[in-house]
Amino acid sequence: MSYDVIVIGCGLAGATCARELAERGGQRVLLLERRPHVGGNAYDCEDGSGILIHKYGPHIFHTNNERVYRYLSRFTDFSDYMHTVTANIHGNFVPVPFNFNSIERVFGDRAPGLIKKLTDKYPEGTKIPIFELTEQNDPELSELADYVFNNVFAHYTEKQWGVPITEVSRETLARVPVFLSRDDRYFQDTYQGMPKDGYTAMFERMLDHGNIEFCLGTDARDRVRFEGGVITLDGEAFDGRVIFSGALDELFDYRYGDLPYRTLDFGFETHGVDSFQPNGTVNYTVDMPYTRITEFKKLTGQKKAGVTTIMKEYSRACTRGDNPYYAILNKENLELYGKYKELADRYPSLFLVGRLAEYKYYNMDAIVARALELCDRLI
Ligand code: FAD
Ligand code: UDP
């Protein structure tokens, strides 16, 4: 069989492009995936005790993008799960994003006064990045900001990124603002939920199209080569398009050095209890070597008595052979990425899409949006 397009990587970027090009574009797609399964980092499966787990970290779908929601809804129904997170601060479970309820849990009788000071200054519903809240003249608000900075952000951020919080990009920290509200949800997006039969089932439906041939357990580098401006498939020149969603430094044999990433080690534990913790994810913001614990049953809504599986996340520097999970966004790294991007641009039929290929901190919905936009252009 000959192909019009090769898609490398079968996460949300690759699966969306493969389906769109196959269906809307009527193109013959070869999809190559290194792992033995579909879904990229959103892959889920049952563990030995029958609990549906997320093998590569907890994934909660949320978006304000109606097109993305409608698109994925073709392949799955979503539950109405609303994700909540608490910070375990010396045994006190405090809602995150830090909000009015959190202020009450921590400051007790002083909470009404603090909330009033905040609402005198900002409209209710405002989301304030922590670095902005720490720039206060009022001594009481400064004390509040310092508390949140030290007990919610500083330690967690250092564990997650391996550097002091002052070296972490403001954009990253602004993902979790202080929220002037009583809304305890982690995300306030219009659409939010979990795929009712899991992510893997959703991916299988996306890929179920006669124009898509997919090979799992196949490292594209063994079949597709990029040399001297020419792309080859199995040694023959390939004049179709290639969509790549893997890491760019690896694609070009680390020619300019390694792009820095953080990786995660996951500690799964199954416990003989109905429930392990009060809500889906508990962040360990003042102690413990791991950043957070997720209890999957709370996310997926799975009903199973007397057993539950949790996952602890340990963050560390990523070296070759590890899974690169988080791009480390700073000037130097973006410049290095720029050099690889220039190399990629020498192949006019090579298109980059995805969290790795674009070296960005994208949520799932942003990836689907990027992939749909790319396919709009290509079709
Ligand atoms: P990936 O899912 O990484 O897929 C890329 C695929 O390419 C992989 O399967 C890889 O094996 C394959 N590949 C790479 N190189 C090659 C090669 N040479 N040959 C063949 N295959 C190759 N987003 C949310 O919206 N909500 C969340 O709750 C959420 N939680 C997250 C938690 C964690 C711990 C992490 C790390 C991310 C989370 N995300 C979340 C982000 C989400 O994972 C990404 O936005 C999304 O998975 C990116 O999809 P992708 O296709 O770009 O990349
Ligand atoms: N963060 C923190 N404490 C928290 C939650 C988040 O310090 O309780 C910071 C941390 O630096 C983290 C960033 O905010 O990396 C973004 O958090 P998010 O939950 O969006 O991270 P992700 O789910 O993508 O790992």
Side-chain angles (χ1 to χ4, degrees):
M1 186 170 168
S2 64
Y3 309 100
D4 299 305
V5 55
I6 301 169
V7 176
I8 299 174
C10 190
L12 271 167
T16 305
C17 289
R19 178 72 187 214
E20 278 298 274
L21 295 174
E23 186 175 52
R24 193 151 59 100
Q27 299 179 14
R28 288 157 303 166
V29 179
L30 174 65
L31 177 57
L32 303 175
E33 168 55 55
R34 177 158 53 199
R35 291 173 177 168
H37 57 71
V38 299
N41 288 339
Y43 170 73
D44 55 16
C45 60
E46 276 189 7
D47 69 4
S49 53
I51 303 288
L52 185 67
I53 58 160
H54 297 179
K55 192 171 171 198
Y56 305 98
H59 281 70
I60 299 99
F61 179 74
H62 57 99
T63 191
N64 286 319
N65 186 322
E66 188 171 340
R67 183 183 186 196
V68 168
Y69 177 72
R70 280 183 190 280
Y71 185 72
L72 292 181
S73 297
R74 286 182 55 202
F75 310 106
T76 184
D77 290 331
F78 285 97
S79 73
D80 55 7
Y81 174 69
M82 297 284 157
H83 192 49
T84 58
V85 175
T86 51
N88 183 330
I89 305 179
H90 306 297
N92 193 8
F93 291 95
V94 177
V96 177
F98 204 88
N99 62 20
F100 293 163
N101 298 327
S102 321
I103 295 178
E104 283 170 358
R105 276 204 79 94
V106 171
F107 290 92
D109 293 348
R110 292 180 59 203
L114 288 167
I115 292 171
K116 179 159 188 327
K117 279 204 166 172
L118 283 168
T119 47
D120 283 348
K121 195 160 176 193
Y122 303 94
E124 203 163 323
T126 306
K127 291 182 171 175
I128 312 171
I130 183 59
F131 44 82
E132 191 182 317
L133 194 69
T134 48
E135 289 158 8
Q136 302 291 327
N137 296 322
D138 181 283
E140 274 199 300
L141 289 186
S142 277
E143 186 192 335
L144 169 70
D146 288 349
Y147 178 88
V148 180
F149 183 87
N150 291 318
N151 290 282
V152 178
F153 285 93
H155 189 60
Y156 184 104
T157 296
E158 200 166 328
K159 279 193 282 189
Q160 174 70 6
W161 297 101
V163 291
I165 188 168
T166 44
E167 290 175 35
V168 172
S169 85
R170 291 190 159 208
E171 206 185 335
T172 297
L173 296 172
R175 286 169 61 90
V176 184
V178 172
F179 188 21
L180 304 196
S181 164
R182 290 200 176 273
D183 183 346
D184 278 343
R185 295 172 305 163
Y186 203 57
F187 311 110
Q188 277 73 43
D189 294 8
T190 314
Y191 305 104
Q192 183 174 170
M194 301 294 286
K196 277 200 172 150
D197 308 317
Y199 287 99
T200 301
M202 177 185 86
F203 277 95
E204 282 165 354
R205 289 178 204 127
M206 290 174 86
L207 298 171
D208 182 14
H209 191 281
N211 282 346
I212 303 176
E213 179 180 321
F214 64 91
C215 304
L216 300 177
T218 304
D219 191 322
R221 292 173 303 165
D222 294 337
R223 297 190 59 187
V224 187
R225 301 299 303 168
F226 298 81
E227 267 150 14
V230 177
I231 302 177
T232 53
L233 169 64
D234 299 330
E236 306 273 323
F238 179 75
D239 59 6
R241 288 168 173 146
V242 177
I243 294 178
F244 179 71
S245 69
L248 212 46
D249 55 346
E250 186 193 72
L251 183 72
F252 291 114
D253 300 321
Y254 305 98
R255 192 172 308 181
Y256 303 124
D258 298 44
L259 276 168
Y261 285 97
R262 297 291 287 176
T263 190
L264 298 170
D265 295 319
F266 298 115
F268 290 92
E269 293 171 16
T270 297
H271 294 263
V273 293
D274 288 337
S275 168
F276 179 85
Q277 62 186 24
N279 51 287
T281 297
V282 175
N283 289 353
Y284 284 79
T285 56
V286 290
D287 51 19
M288 300 300 170
Y290 40 85
T291 51
R292 58 187 175 188
I293 297 184
T294 295
E295 183 176 4
F296 291 106
K297 274 189 354 182
K298 297 240 159 50
L299 269 53
T300 59
Q302 186 178 3
K303 302 274 176 264
K304 209 163 167 55
V307 63
T308 193
T309 299
I310 61 158
M311 166 194 263
K312 295 174 176 168
E313 292 177 52
Y314 301 83
S315 175
R316 63 176 169 81
C318 183
T319 53
R320 286 185 202 177
D322 293 329
N323 280 317
Y325 289 118
Y326 294 90
I328 301 177
L329 299 174
N330 60 35
K331 191 167 168 283
E332 194 186 340
N333 298 349
L334 291 175
E335 276 170 16
L336 179 58
Y337 175 79
K339 287 172 78 176
Y340 281 110
K341 176 74 170 62
E342 266 176 34
L343 212 50
D345 287 343
R346 291 186 204 159
Y347 299 84
S349 55
L350 170 63
F351 298 88
L352 307 176
V353 59
R355 180 155 150 142
L356 293 171
E358 297 180 67
Y359 201 65
K360 290 232 166 85
Y361 198 162
Y362 281 135
N363 289 330
M364 291 185 283
D365 63 327
I367 292 295
V368 176
R370 299 278 303 157
L372 290 173
E373 282 156 21
L374 173 63
C375 294
D376 288 344
R377 277 195 285 128
L378 296 185
I379 293 169

